[in-house]
Amino acid sequence: TICKQEKTLDQYYVSNGKVKSECKSCNKIRVKNFREKNKEHFKEYLKNYYIDNRDKNQEKQKINSKNYRQNNKEKSNENSKRAQKRRKEWFLEIRKTFVCVKCNFSDFRALQFHHKDPSLKTMGVTRMLYNGWPKERILEELQKCECLCANCHFIEHYIQRETTTKISAIII
């Protein structure tokens, strides 16, 4: 062994029934030094390993997450509730900064987000919030919307339905 100390057999690694020549503590020091000298190599190796095994790792992560949730239902539910509460508080602060673009009404309790182009709509912003979508995706969806108060939003959809009905009548 490198440390030149007498040690018991349980302080050595055993591989294929053979006792290794260096003790566990010397092995740890040697491996640590090797990794420090070859940091860039290990970074590149781990990056490539992650890319090559991304699908397998994601599948394993899904299985592990599912198992964790099943085995720790109470804790998992608490975590989900805490995360949802934080998202709601975050979104509430954002909503408080908006006003209706048509009438300048500013009471956040009656403000809604109207998709300017419905064909680009992924999902309703509030539904995304309650379904646990990431904040970045919610903000992206908000970029596709205009803020309207409940009255203006209702009127906007009423006008859209009227226009669609008139177009349908002309086509028929």
Side-chain angles (χ1 to χ4, degrees):
T1 174
I2 298 169
C3 63
K4 299 191 186 329
Q5 296 177 0
E6 284 191 33
K7 298 187 178 185
T8 59
L9 280 178
D10 66 327
Q11 293 177 322
Y12 289 85
Y13 288 113
V14 178
S15 176
N16 297 328
K18 296 179 183 175
V19 177
K20 294 288 186 177
S21 62
E22 66 184 0
C23 65
K24 291 179 180 179
S25 57
C26 290
N27 179 271
K28 284 182 184 177
I29 293 169
R30 183 182 58 79
V31 169
K32 183 180 176 184
N33 290 337
F34 180 79
R35 286 183 182 243
E36 283 180 18
K37 287 179 186 174
N38 298 290
K39 266 185 184 174
E40 292 304 315
H41 167 75
F42 278 102
K43 277 184 184 177
E44 190 65 29
Y45 170 79
L46 289 173
K47 180 181 170 186
N48 291 334
Y49 177 84
Y50 175 76
I51 291 169
D52 294 342
N53 296 289
R54 184 178 297 154
D55 294 336
K56 280 191 275 184
N57 290 338
Q58 284 177 340
E59 196 59 39
K60 281 182 189 176
Q61 188 175 3
K62 281 182 186 177
I63 292 167
N64 290 340
S65 293
K66 185 177 180 180
N67 289 339
Y68 177 83
R69 285 191 305 273
Q70 286 175 345
N71 295 333
N72 302 285
K73 285 182 181 178
E74 201 170 293
K75 189 174 181 179
S76 183
N77 287 340
E78 287 174 19
N79 290 341
S80 293
K81 285 178 184 177
R82 267 198 309 277
Q84 187 165 12
K85 183 179 178 186
R86 282 193 309 270
R87 271 194 313 276
K88 281 172 69 174
E89 289 169 353
W90 165 79
F91 191 65
L92 182 62
E93 291 304 312
I94 288 175
R95 280 182 61 188
K96 287 179 180 179
T97 65
F98 283 91
V99 296
C100 177
V101 295
K102 302 243 183 196
C103 68
N104 288 332
F105 183 76
S106 62
D107 189 335
F108 70 92
R109 295 171 295 179
L111 294 177
Q112 301 173 347
F113 297 99
H114 173 71
H115 283 81
K116 296 176 238 179
D117 182 358
S119 66
L120 300 176
K121 180 177 180 177
T122 304
M123 184 184 290
V125 176
T126 308
R127 179 163 288 152
M128 291 175 83
L129 178 73
Y130 285 99
N131 286 348
W133 284 57
K135 292 176 182 179
E136 297 79 28
R137 290 294 310 266
I138 293 171
L139 292 173
E140 284 175 21
E141 199 65 22
L142 276 175
Q143 297 296 318
K144 303 174 194 175
C145 300
E146 61 185 357
C147 184
L148 300 173
C149 68
N151 286 336
C152 291
H153 195 201
F154 182 83
I155 293 167
E156 182 69 29
H157 280 281
Y158 185 85
I159 292 168
Q160 283 180 357
R161 275 193 298 278
E162 287 287 310
T163 307
T164 306
T165 306
K166 288 178 184 174
I167 292 172
S168 299
I170 293 170
I171 294 173
I172 294 174

